[in-house]
């Protein structure tokens, strides 16, 4: 076990001090990694690894992730979310038609042990420290609703009464008491059960030094649990310990009960993927898409929506677009120029093809680097450069993360909107053309630019100030314009 006191910073004194981590979470760009599928830094922990089997462990671990943090830092992301790291059930289930193991981390067998295939507690601490050295914050995925199938909690006479299960009965008809995906359901309403789970997960939070939790299956656990969870995380892990919750199918309105009760800081907006992908494919009116994006800004003050194009639970964006990278770029542009915390799912930035489950959890493509899993899988470096550009623009412009959203041209295939952040005065105009013909942007020169020239943030180049801003937007392309410096 590692002492509660984290060791001193790893960097030698000659190095510059670690970057500050005290940013508003609204400004973060989050990168989500399925640990087992990213990078294998320690083959000695590869138990029952079979890279040819979609539901088996593929060898990725905490050391591999730490050794390859340059991949994240050079992309420009500012926060990392990792899948759960507690010991998962050994063995597999076959309901899907193939052996399906707990490689994803969501089928816990022991909340007090780390999954040995992912590494040791020291390696978890080292990962978090290495992230912090790069100014990257870390969210650890935690599950309170259920253990894995036939876990030790169901077998042990002392804990089997903690569970509703298909084997023992008691699975209820509602969100909180149902057995999600046939998994045993913790009776989180029992103080003894809640205390056990909270002690275990908050212990990981405290010892690892992570900056927050990503909360799994939020709507399947009662609100009183989440209130106690919030009280304890604040008390034991710090006032700023961040909670990003997964309420399946959530959006601004359906997440609000968890925000109004201050049970978590942020939730996933499941609406963004479908709305953005539909719009870039020419489905739905631009004005309706603009209305949706504007409505996201109405999230309860102090709380955040997180929006993704791909995840481990849905078919990824590039797959849904039938591999159309041109439209995928438009979707990425929209993701990184609109409000909320953008979540990039590992590998989508290099065009990992993804697919429907389980292909949406494929190996990180490493191209010609000799790094498993994913050596030899092709990478689209040009797409990655585009992401780098978008992320650097977002990080340089608070208007893109925190600004108000105002539709300027919403009546056709050319969609133009302004992001404006009054506090800093920052303002950015985004124009996305989903049409097959070139289109013309024509709007009055944005007031927020105060008569200054404009700059093409994506392509470079300067536009002279005038009474109006008039530029062409090529078919299926985007322009992002800011005030010239
Ligand atoms: Ca390994
Ligand atoms: Ca439950």
């Amino acid at each position: 076990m590692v002492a509660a006191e984290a060791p001193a910073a790893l960097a030698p004194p000659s190095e510059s001090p670690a970057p500050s981590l005290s940013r508003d979470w609204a400004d973060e760009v989050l990168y989500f990694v399925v640990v087992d599928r990213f990078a294998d830094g320690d083959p000695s922990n590869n138990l029952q690894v079979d890279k040819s089997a979609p539901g088996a462990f593929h060898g990725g671990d905490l050391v591999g992730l730490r050794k390859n943090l340059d991949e994240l830092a050079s992309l420009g992301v500012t926060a990392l979310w990792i899948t759960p790291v507690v010991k998962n059930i050994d063995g597999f289930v076959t309901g899907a038609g193939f052996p399906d193991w707990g490689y994803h981390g969501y089928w816990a067998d022991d909340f007090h042990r780390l999954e040995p295939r992912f590494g040791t507690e020291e390696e978890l601490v080292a990962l978090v420290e290495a992230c912090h050295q790069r100014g990257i914050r870390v969210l650890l995925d935690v599950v309170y609703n259920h253990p894995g199938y036939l876990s030790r909690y169901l077998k042990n006479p002392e804990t089997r009464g903690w569970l509703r299960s298909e084997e023992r009965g008691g699975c209820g008809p509602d969100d909180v008491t149902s057995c999600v995906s046939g998994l045993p359901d913790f009776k989180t309403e029992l103080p003894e059960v809640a205390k056990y789970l909270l002690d275990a997960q908050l212990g990981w939070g405290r010892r690892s030094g992570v900056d927050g939790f990503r909360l799994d299956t939020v709507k399947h656990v009662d609100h009183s649990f989440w209130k106690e969870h919030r009280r304890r995380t604040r008390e034991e892990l710090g006032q700023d310990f961040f909670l990003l919750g997964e309420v399946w199918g959530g959006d601004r309105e359906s997440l609000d009960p968890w925000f109004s009760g201050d049970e978590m800081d942020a939730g996933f907006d499941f609406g963004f993927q479908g709305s953005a992908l539909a719009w870039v494919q020419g489905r739905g009116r631009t004005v309706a898409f603009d209305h949706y994006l504007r409505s996201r800004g109405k999230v309860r003050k102090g709380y955040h929506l997180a929006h993704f194009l791909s995840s481990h639970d849905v078919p990824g964006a590039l797959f849904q677009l039938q591999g159309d990278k041109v439209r995928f770029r438009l979707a990425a542009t929209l993701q990184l120029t609109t409000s909320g915390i953008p979540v990039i799912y590992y590998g989508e930035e290099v065009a990992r093809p993804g697919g429907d489950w389980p292909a949406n959890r494929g190996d990180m493509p490493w191209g010609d680097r000799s790094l498993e899993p994913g050596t030899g899988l092709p990478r689209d470096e040009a797409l990655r450069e585009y992401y780098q550009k978008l992320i650097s623009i977002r990080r340089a412009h608070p208007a893109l993360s925190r600004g108000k959203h105002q539709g300027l041209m919403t009546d056709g295939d050319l969609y133009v909107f302004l992001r404006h952040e009054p506090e800093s005065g920052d303002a950015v105009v985004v124009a996305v053309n989903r049409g097959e013909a070139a289109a013309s942007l024509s709007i009055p020169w944005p007031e927020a630019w105060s008569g200054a020239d404009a700059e093409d943030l994506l392509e470079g180049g300067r536009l002279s100030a005038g009474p109006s801003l008039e530029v062409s937007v090529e078919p299926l392309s985007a322009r992002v314009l800011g005030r010239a410096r």
Side-chain angles (χ1 to χ4, degrees):
M1 300 292 278
V2 167
E5 295 77 23
L10 296 172
S14 59
E15 279 189 23
S16 55
S20 168
L21 295 168
S22 59
R23 295 178 297 259
D24 188 326
W25 274 91
D27 296 336
E28 303 290 9
V29 179
L30 186 54
Y31 192 82
F32 172 30
V33 163
V34 175
V35 173
D36 178 64
R37 303 302 167 87
F38 195 71
D40 184 358
D42 181 4
S44 77
N45 60 22
N46 291 359
L47 313 171
Q48 295 133 330
V49 161
D50 180 1
K51 269 192 56 198
S52 67
F57 284 88
H58 286 193
D61 50 39
L62 298 167
V63 170
L65 183 49
R66 176 172 58 80
K67 285 183 173 168
N68 291 284
L69 285 178
D70 283 349
E71 178 74 11
L72 278 63
S74 66
L75 186 60
V77 298
T78 62
L80 166 67
W81 152 27
I82 55 171
T83 43
V85 295
V86 294
K87 165 94 177 60
N88 265 231
I89 55 168
D90 269 311
F92 53 82
V93 294
T94 54
F98 55 84
D100 202 18
W101 297 68
Y103 64 90
H104 41 70
Y106 295 100
W107 294 345
D109 188 48
D110 189 342
F111 288 97
H112 283 287
R113 283 181 63 201
L114 278 195
E115 171 57 54
R117 297 172 181 89
F118 298 158
T120 65
E121 182 163 335
E122 289 79 1
E123 288 163 359
L124 176 61
V125 171
L127 168 65
V128 175
E129 284 182 349
C131 285
H132 288 172
Q133 286 290 321
R134 287 165 174 78
I136 294 173
R137 296 204 277 199
V138 184
L139 297 182
L140 177 64
D141 206 324
V142 295
V143 188
Y144 293 102
N145 180 63
H146 56 262
Y149 298 101
L150 296 175
S151 74
R152 71 180 58 232
Y153 299 102
L154 206 56
K155 292 174 193 153
N156 186 336
E158 288 178 22
T159 55
R160 64 168 60 130
W162 291 3
L163 294 156
R164 294 173 270 267
S165 75
E166 293 188 343
E167 295 80 6
R168 291 176 44 81
C171 297
D174 54 87
D175 279 344
V176 169
T177 63
S178 60
C179 295
V180 180
S181 304
L183 288 157
D185 188 59
F186 276 120
K187 296 175 184 172
T188 45
E189 69 276 14
L190 298 179
E192 178 191 14
V193 179
K195 182 178 186 312
Y196 174 85
L197 295 170
L198 287 165
D199 286 351
Q201 298 290 24
L202 270 60
W204 293 117
R206 187 175 61 251
R207 296 192 304 276
S208 67
V210 292
D211 304 279
F213 287 155
R214 180 269 186 185
L215 307 171
D216 190 61
T217 39
V218 163
K219 72 177 168 191
H220 300 289
V221 176
D222 46 294
H223 283 281
S224 57
F225 177 93
W226 293 123
K227 286 190 168 67
E228 172 68 0
H229 181 257
R230 176 68 127 183
R231 188 190 68 74
R232 283 194 55 179
T233 55
R234 283 225 168 108
E235 187 174 292
E236 297 171 34
L237 304 174
Q239 286 294 314
D240 299 331
F241 195 79
F242 193 74
L243 301 177
L244 165 59
E246 176 223 25
V247 175
W248 183 260
D251 59 18
R252 177 181 64 84
E253 287 182 320
S254 60
L255 285 164
D256 197 58
W258 287 272
F259 296 161
S260 65
D262 191 36
E263 294 164 32
M264 54 195 204
D265 301 285
F268 295 97
D269 174 11
F270 280 71
F272 184 83
Q273 185 198 40
S275 297
L277 295 186
W279 187 80
V280 301
Q281 292 175 95
R283 294 203 301 269
R285 294 178 61 199
T286 299
V287 68
F289 184 51
D290 180 64
H291 177 83
Y292 159 73
L293 290 174
R294 259 187 300 126
S295 76
R296 294 169 51 82
K298 293 178 190 159
V299 65
R300 186 174 289 268
K301 193 169 164 49
Y303 298 85
H304 310 273
L305 299 176
H307 56 303
F308 57 85
L309 286 174
S310 308
S311 88
H312 57 333
D313 286 331
V314 295
L318 189 56
F319 173 73
Q320 291 199 38
L321 293 169
Q322 290 92 42
D324 181 342
K325 291 183 191 172
V326 174
R327 285 183 173 81
F328 182 76
R329 279 183 185 227
L330 300 187
T333 308
L334 290 163
Q335 186 192 17
L336 287 158
T337 55
T338 53
S339 70
I341 302 171
V343 185
I344 297 167
Y345 186 43
Y346 74 101
E348 70 178 334
E349 77 282 7
V350 290
R352 183 166 68 82
D356 208 342
W357 180 87
N360 58 358
R361 301 168 177 189
D363 298 332
M364 176 67 187
W366 291 111
D368 55 11
R369 289 187 57 189
S370 55
L371 184 56
E372 294 296 343
T375 293
L377 295 179
R379 289 165 63 94
D380 185 332
E381 298 294 350
L383 180 61
R384 188 171 188 275
E385 283 165 24
Y386 188 67
Y387 265 87
Q388 283 175 318
K389 191 84 190 170
L390 288 172
I391 293 167
S392 77
I393 293 170
R394 186 179 183 90
R395 290 181 62 182
H397 289 274
L400 292 177
S401 49
R402 275 178 272 149
K404 293 191 171 70
H405 183 111
Q406 184 189 353
L408 300 177
M409 294 178 71
T410 61
D411 188 27
D413 285 339
L414 177 64
Y415 175 30
V416 182
F417 56 89
L418 173 75
R419 304 295 314 284
H420 179 212
E421 209 266 316
E423 206 171 306
S424 60
D426 186 38
V428 175
V429 171
V430 180
V432 183
N433 182 6
R434 71 176 180 181
E436 311 254 353
S440 295
L441 179 165
S442 176
I443 54 171
W445 197 259
E447 258 181 61
W449 289 348
S450 309
D453 286 354
E455 180 183 0
D456 186 326
L457 301 174
L458 271 177
E459 303 291 333
R462 202 175 177 97
L463 294 90
S464 297
S468 61
L469 174 62
E470 299 192 9
V471 295
S472 66
V473 187
E474 294 301 300
L476 294 167
S477 72
R479 300 193 71 165
V480 181
L481 307 166
R483 178 180 159 153
R485 277 173 257 209

